[in-house]
Amino acid sequence: MKVPLLAFNDKGIYCQQADVYLDPWQPVKNAIITHGHADHSRWGHQNYITHHTNVPIIRHRLGEINVTGIAWNETFVINNVKFSLHPAGHIIGSSQIRVEHKGEVWVFTGDYKTEDDGISVPYEVVKCDTFITECTFGLPAFNWIPQAEVSSQINNWWAENKAEGKTSILFGYSLGKAQRLLKYLDTDIGTIYTHGAIENMTNVLRSLVDFPPTTLVTRETKKEDLLGNIVLAPPSAHGSTWIRKMTPFVTGSASGWMAFRGARRRRAVDKGFVLSDHCDWYSLLDSIKATGAEKIICTHGYTDIFSKYLRELGYDARTEKTQYKGETADSEGVEPENTAIENEA
């Protein structure tokens, strides 16, 4: 029986021919990592390979690890298996992994989005025979509006809150979403303050992207300093004593789940902005078609519904269970505070 080029086991996605795992969730010898979110880059592997812009990110999270940085489209060969990394557009440094052996090509997307966010290298279509895709938002109800419109909504909301003498608190994950929000905040409205987890991660990335200046919220920061300004904070800060000291404030959250009625209420925020670092339904379908792949493997999200629809379209589609969380509707999937990172939204 032919051994598949990539197989799913209790440690992750395994390439037996090269003895390499892709985004493993258990400690392994050799790991190729798509991006820096905690469900895809975990501590404990002996050797890490990732895109060079992701190296400082995972070192910030994981400490001194043995990691090799690779450029986009740079081919590296392990036991006659060819690997290369290609932009996924999900967050800064995020990659798809292309695997080729004996004329067969597989692509593992990790997490990805096709809209150019202006801070990540845009998604690249990679032709393949088998495509391993997430489907976090694999329902027709998810159809994103352009980022520019969401940015205008956020800045108008901030300006309105300032006019009412209130502090705006905007929640976004420390890696990815926070920097995407920061990049397009209008500093003519006021000062951008940050939670420590976001400040630390943004400082790691400032050499890669021109971000607006930020001011760290410290114990010395007075609530009078914050009035009329905006505070970027991770979802884990919601309801904490840290945030309660900022009254009067208005809260907002940026997430793909804000497209669902009730999501804002469940998260107990005043305002929801629909902004995701994942593909919507239509982008998923367009991406799959563009690869030319006949076999599709759905790893996390609405896997059953999405794979069933793909089969109706004529694809050889199936699902596989993983420990990737993507963006969950009712759980923030927050990492411990000392990691300074959470799962993406």
Side-chain angles (χ1 to χ4, degrees), residues 267-321:
R267 295 191 178 189
V269 292
D270 300 310
K271 183 74 173 180
F273 302 100
V274 182
L275 187 70
S276 179
D277 290 326
H278 298 262
C279 289
D280 63 10
W281 167 267
Y282 302 94
S283 295
L284 286 169
L285 293 175
D286 289 345
S287 300
I288 290 168
K289 183 178 180 180
T291 66
E294 295 181 356
K295 296 183 179 180
I296 312 298
I297 301 174
C298 304
T299 58
H300 56 292
Y302 287 98
T303 53
D304 293 337
I305 295 172
F306 191 66
S307 62
K308 180 177 183 293
Y309 183 76
L310 291 176
R311 288 192 294 273
E312 292 173 355
L313 294 179
Y315 291 99
D316 178 2
R318 61 185 174 89
T319 66
E320 286 285 356
K321 292 188 180 300

Side-chain angles (χ1 to χ4, degrees), residues 231-251:
V231 179
L232 287 180
S236 57
H238 194 7
S240 66
T241 55
W242 180 84
I243 204 171
R244 288 199 292 269
K245 296 178 181 177
M246 299 181 184
T247 54
F249 60 79
V250 181
T251 57

Side-chain angles (χ1 to χ4, degrees), residues 6 20 74 114 241-242 264 283 303 309 318-319 331 337 339:
L6 295 176
V20 170
E74 176 184 347
T114 57
T241 55
W242 180 84
R264 188 183 71 186
S283 295
T303 53
Y309 183 76
R318 61 185 174 89
T319 66
S331 170
E337 195 65 29
T339 66

Side-chain angles (χ1 to χ4, degrees), residues 1 3 35 42 46 52 77 84 105 127 152 180 184 190 227 277 286 331 338:
M1 184 176 178
V3 176
H35 66 285
R42 305 192 184 217
Q46 291 183 37
H52 65 81
V77 180
S84 55
V105 178
K127 297 290 185 177
S152 294
R180 191 177 176 190
Y184 299 102
L227 292 177
D277 290 326
D286 289 345
S331 170
N338 61 1

Side-chain angles (χ1 to χ4, degrees), residues 153-170 189 226-231 248-253 270-271 273:
Q153 292 174 1
I154 292 172
N155 284 317
N156 290 338
W157 171 76
W158 177 13
E160 290 168 3
N161 296 336
K162 180 177 181 178
E164 296 176 2
K166 297 177 181 178
T167 300
S168 300
I169 301 176
L170 184 58
I189 300 173
L226 302 175
L227 292 177
N229 297 312
I230 194 166
V231 179
F249 60 79
V250 181
T251 57
S253 179
D270 300 310
K271 183 74 173 180
F273 302 100

Side-chain angles (χ1 to χ4, degrees), residues 18-319:
D19 191 22
V20 170
Y21 280 86
L22 314 186
D23 286 0
W25 47 82
Q26 296 292 333
V28 300
K29 181 179 179 181
N30 299 308
I32 304 176
I33 304 299
T34 60
H35 66 285
H37 282 135
D39 54 334
H40 289 261
S41 59
R42 305 192 184 217
W43 185 85
H45 311 314
Q46 291 183 37
N47 304 296
Y48 295 75
I49 298 174
T50 193
H51 189 260
H52 65 81
T53 54
N54 191 40
V55 171
I57 294 171
I58 62 174
R59 277 195 166 140
H60 174 72
R61 288 196 53 246
L62 304 177
E64 282 304 312
I65 55 175
N66 184 23
V67 57
T68 300
I70 302 295
W72 301 124
N73 296 280
E74 176 184 347
T75 299
F76 54 102
V77 180
I78 305 173
N79 295 342
N80 295 317
V81 180
K82 295 180 180 179
F83 296 89
S84 55
L85 304 180
H86 303 263
H90 173 56
I91 61 170
I92 295 172
S94 61
S95 304
Q96 305 171 80
I97 303 172
R98 183 184 185 273
V99 186
E100 179 181 355
H101 185 59
K102 294 183 177 180
E104 185 178 357
V105 178
W106 291 48
V107 169
F108 170 51
T109 64
D111 292 329
Y112 68 113
K113 72 173 182 294
T114 57
E115 182 181 28
D116 182 359
D117 61 17
I119 62 172
S120 310
V121 176
Y123 172 82
E124 174 187 314
V125 174
V126 183
K127 297 290 185 177
C128 59
D129 305 304
T130 301
F131 191 60
I132 304 176
T133 179
E134 61 138 317
C135 44
T136 302
F137 292 105
L139 289 179
F142 297 109
N143 182 15
W144 310 144
I145 64 174
Q147 173 178 276
E149 293 183 30
V150 182
S151 297
S152 294
Q153 292 174 1
I154 292 172
N155 284 317
N156 290 338
W157 171 76
W158 177 13
E160 290 168 3
N161 296 336
K162 180 177 181 178
E164 296 176 2
K166 297 177 181 178
T167 300
S168 300
I169 301 176
L170 184 58
F171 297 114
Y173 293 102
S174 302
L175 170 59
K177 185 61 62 61
Q179 290 76 36
R180 191 177 176 190
L181 294 169
L182 172 61
K183 178 67 177 178
Y184 299 102
L185 288 176
D186 184 358
T187 54
D188 287 341
I189 300 173
T191 300
I192 303 169
Y193 284 85
T194 54
H195 181 280
I198 290 175
E199 183 73 12
N200 292 339
M201 183 55 72
T202 301
N203 285 338
V204 171
L205 300 172
R206 281 192 181 276
S207 64
L208 304 173
V209 179
D210 181 22
F211 292 114
T214 55
T215 301
L216 176 66
V217 175
T218 67
R219 291 183 178 180
E220 286 70 43
T221 305
K222 299 179 177 61
K223 66 178 181 180
E224 291 78 15
D225 299 331
L226 302 175
L227 292 177
N229 297 312
I230 194 166
V231 179
L232 287 180
S236 57
H238 194 7
S240 66
T241 55
W242 180 84
I243 204 171
R244 288 199 292 269
K245 296 178 181 177
M246 299 181 184
T247 54
F249 60 79
V250 181
T251 57
S253 179
S255 167
W257 293 108
M258 292 301 149
F260 265 179
R261 289 183 178 180
R264 188 183 71 186
R265 183 177 65 253
R266 282 198 303 273
R267 295 191 178 189
V269 292
D270 300 310
K271 183 74 173 180
F273 302 100
V274 182
L275 187 70
S276 179
D277 290 326
H278 298 262
C279 289
D280 63 10
W281 167 267
Y282 302 94
S283 295
L284 286 169
L285 293 175
D286 289 345
S287 300
I288 290 168
K289 183 178 180 180
T291 66
E294 295 181 356
K295 296 183 179 180
I296 312 298
I297 301 174
C298 304
T299 58
H300 56 292
Y302 287 98
T303 53
D304 293 337
I305 295 172
F306 191 66
S307 62
K308 180 177 183 293
Y309 183 76
L310 291 176
R311 288 192 294 273
E312 292 173 355
L313 294 179
Y315 291 99
D316 178 2
R318 61 185 174 89
T319 66

